[in-house]
Amino acid sequence: MKIAIHHTKGSFSDRWIAYCEKQGIPYKIVDCYKNDIIQQLEDCTALMWHYHHAGAKSFLFAKQLMYAVSAMGKRIFPDFNTAWHFDDKVGQKYLLEGIGAPLVPSYVFYTRQEALEWISNSSFPKVFKLRSGASSANVSLVRTKQDAVRMTNKAFGAGFTQYNGWPNFKERLRKFKKGQTTFFDVCKGFVRIFHHTEFSKVAGREKGYIYFQEFIPNNDSDIRVIVVDKKAFAIKRMVRENDFRASGGGTILYDKELFDTATIQLALDVTQQLNAQCLAFDFVYKDGKPLIIEISYGYANEAYDPVQGYWDTALNW
């Protein structure tokens, strides 16, 4: 057995390599961006690649390569069940509705007319999202029907860029004031107002659909539960000041007493139902019951180092 690892500093691969070396597991560093990647894998039994959701290059081919390698008879991480819906909120809507999971009510339309008819009969606020984006990027609160109509006209007109420089700059500035990032990072954000990311240029504009979720009020946080190998661990992420978004905000709580077992059980059950290797769930609550906002296989691993333990499938801590 030899595991092929595509290494990107700061990703899961740092820990995969350290684990293989500690346990004496044969591994090989490969480069998935090279034309001969299939030949690189000839002496390997598995491929592991923590590809980024907003990588300008991996966006073009990562899933296709991974599934091709799986067709060769090699094990992969992430596999198809784990990752086909990664960074695709519309795909997740269909998936979670299809298995009857308690998803925050979500709505997607592929014509302007259908969207406008729905808006005229709906109450607001609602949450607008692009199908891709993490850490609360491409997410905004639509407070009125007029705002929803404006967003719809844009969705079926010029469309939306994958990177919105001004909100991103304000978020970096907020984190700098709280001591959560550097002045250099703020400067980078300022430059990005005028020069979009390479990913945004490659991915192009999002258009031809519009996606909303119900706004679930009275949540000062969300709960992130991650399930790996039938083990679940959790963090509580507080919303930003004067905002409704928690993901990427930087204020995280870890005490075990903050998490109810019904939420943990739900995450374990859905992961098993989807036959996924690893899933991260974002939950909010309505009338005390957990609702799934979205799911993902990848996440910023450093944020979870302080967790105090995990639950097994019998909810033993």
Side-chain angles (χ1 to χ4, degrees):
M1 178 187 74
K2 182 186 290 184
I3 299 174
I5 298 175
H6 178 93
H7 180 42
T8 304
K9 187 175 181 181
S11 76
F12 288 166
S13 62
D14 289 329
R15 305 182 185 215
W16 295 339
I17 292 168
Y19 184 85
C20 286
E21 292 179 346
K22 182 178 180 180
Q23 300 296 328
I25 298 172
Y27 74 94
K28 174 184 180 180
I29 302 298
V30 298
D31 188 344
C32 288
Y33 294 108
K34 296 298 185 182
N35 180 61
D36 68 345
I37 179 60
I38 297 300
Q39 288 71 43
Q40 292 183 51
L41 299 174
E42 286 179 351
D43 61 341
C44 299
T45 55
L47 170 62
M48 303 178 74
W49 181 14
H50 180 198
Y51 50 84
H52 194 272
H53 68 280
K57 293 186 291 183
S58 60
F59 163 79
L60 295 173
F61 76 99
K63 292 179 182 179
Q64 292 86 343
L65 170 64
M66 297 298 281
Y67 305 154
V69 172
S70 178
M72 295 166 62
K74 300 180 187 293
R75 296 291 298 275
I76 60 171
F77 177 82
D79 66 11
F80 180 82
N81 290 333
T82 303
W84 74 260
H85 46 75
F86 178 47
D87 199 35
D88 185 348
K89 298 174 181 65
V90 174
Q92 292 170 24
K93 164 189 157 60
Y94 297 136
L95 176 64
L96 295 171
E97 287 179 346
I99 65 171
L103 172 70
V104 172
S106 303
Y107 314 90
V108 62
F109 305 98
Y110 299 102
T111 69
R112 186 199 310 262
Q113 186 58 39
E114 285 183 310
L116 294 177
E117 289 176 1
W118 175 81
I119 290 168
S120 68
N121 294 302
S122 297
S123 60
F124 285 81
K126 292 286 192 293
V127 178
F128 164 82
K129 297 183 176 183
L130 295 182
R131 69 189 306 160
S132 62
S135 298
S136 295
N138 303 330
V139 176
S140 60
L141 191 63
V142 180
R143 299 184 181 276
T144 66
K145 291 186 178 184
Q146 291 76 16
D147 288 340
V149 169
R150 178 178 56 80
M151 300 291 274
T152 299
N153 288 334
K154 186 172 182 179
F156 293 96
F160 300 90
T161 60
Q162 286 281 357
Y163 185 87
N164 195 333
W166 179 243
N168 182 275
F169 170 70
K170 291 195 295 183
E171 174 65 7
R172 295 183 193 223
L173 188 61
R174 182 192 70 84
K175 286 188 172 182
F176 175 71
K177 291 177 179 177
K178 296 186 67 174
Q180 296 175 346
T181 193
T182 64
F183 181 70
F184 178 69
D185 189 52
V186 175
C187 293
K188 284 171 56 181
F190 180 75
V191 172
R192 287 296 184 198
I193 296 175
F194 309 99
H195 301 280
H196 285 192
T197 64
E198 191 64 24
F199 169 71
S200 181
K201 297 174 185 176
V202 171
R205 286 180 171 267
E206 291 279 308
K207 58 190 301 185
Y209 76 95
I210 192 159
Y211 177 81
F212 294 100
Q213 279 191 327
E214 289 290 339
F215 172 64
I216 309 300
N218 304 318
N219 282 274
D220 64 356
S221 60
D222 73 5
I223 299 297
R224 163 65 67 90
V225 180
I226 295 175
V227 179
V228 183
D229 190 32
K230 300 181 180 180
K231 303 175 182 67
F233 53 97
I235 62 174
K236 181 174 184 176
R237 306 182 298 188
M238 306 305 295
V239 301
R240 298 162 173 83
E241 186 177 358
N242 300 319
D243 203 337
F244 72 101
R245 301 169 301 165
S247 177
T251 302
I252 300 175
L253 305 177
Y254 297 93
D255 293 340
K256 173 179 176 290
E257 290 72 22
L258 297 172
F259 313 107
D260 69 277
T261 55
T263 305
I264 304 301
Q265 185 68 68
L266 177 58
L268 287 163
D269 290 345
V270 172
T271 302
Q272 181 180 25
Q273 193 169 1
L274 295 179
N275 193 28
Q277 297 163 317
C278 169
L279 278 184
F281 296 81
D282 297 344
F283 291 99
V284 290
Y285 293 84
K286 183 176 182 180
D287 300 325
K289 296 181 179 179
L291 295 174
I292 301 171
I293 305 172
E294 57 192 67
I295 57 178
S296 170
Y297 95 86
Y299 43 88
N301 47 40
E302 296 89 351
Y304 304 89
D305 287 338
V307 296
Q308 300 172 355
Y310 64 88
W311 293 265
D312 65 16
T313 54
L315 297 182
N316 297 309
W317 174 251

